[in-house]
Structures are given as structure tokens and as C-alpha cells.
Amino acid sequence: QMSHARLHGDQPSDREWSSLCALASGKLLVLYGGVSRSNTPTQDAMGREVAVLNVETMTWDKPTAARSLLPVHSHTATVVGRTKLLVFGGV
């Protein structure tokens, strides 16, 4: 049976061609990059956005400590160590 989760916080925009990685033993999901499905003018801002979902509290956060990278989509990302993502490729 499928159900919908109630999410809290600053939810990220709808997007595609982004990456999603699990940190902290799966307690945090990190969403990075991507492009808008509606092709809006915020495309560049979305491509460098980092958003984190705490799956225990179901709360989204956009950390200010995350480095602002170049806009990217169609990339891959993997966890390195406990606190870093390695992003490879992309447009």
C-alpha cells in the first residue's frame, strides 16, 4: 500500500536530471542540481541548489553552508566519507 508523506520546511522545486544521495546512515537525503520541468527562468538557480531531507522528521532544509557550485544537471553524485558528495559529469 502506498501513502503520501507530509513534508515540512523549505521544499525544493520540482525538477528532473538531478542527483539524490543518502548521508548519515540514510537519515538525510541530499538533492543537488537538476533542471525545471517547466523551463522557467530560475533554471540556473535550481541547477546549483542543494536541499536536504531529514527522513526522521520529514523536514526539508536548504543549508547555507553548502558551497554554491556551477549549475549542473545530467550528472551523478556519490557520498565520500561521512559529509561530502563527489559530483561527476553533467552539463
Side-chain angles (χ1 to χ4, degrees):
Q1 182 176 0
M2 188 170 128
S3 64
H4 294 276
R6 290 185 186 237
L7 300 174
H8 309 283
D10 191 5
Q11 297 181 27
S13 314
D14 188 21
R15 70 195 63 213
E16 52 192 24
W17 300 331
S18 57
S19 61
L20 183 72
C21 293
L23 288 177
S25 301
K27 294 177 184 173
L28 301 175
L29 296 179
V30 180
L31 177 68
Y32 172 62
V35 294
S36 168
R37 295 177 71 179
S38 61
N39 206 13
T40 63
T42 60
Q43 196 97 324
D44 280 352
M46 189 176 300
R48 66 173 55 101
E49 182 181 63
V50 176
V52 179
L53 176 65
N54 181 320
V55 297
E56 292 181 335
T57 63
M58 299 308 285
T59 303
W60 282 104
D61 184 32
K62 292 181 182 170
T64 56
R67 290 186 185 170
S68 178
L69 306 171
L70 293 175
V72 66
H73 64 81
S74 306
H75 60 285
T76 187
T78 190
V79 177
V80 176
R82 296 182 59 183
T83 61
K84 295 183 177 96
L85 292 181
L86 174 64
V87 178
F88 181 78
V91 178

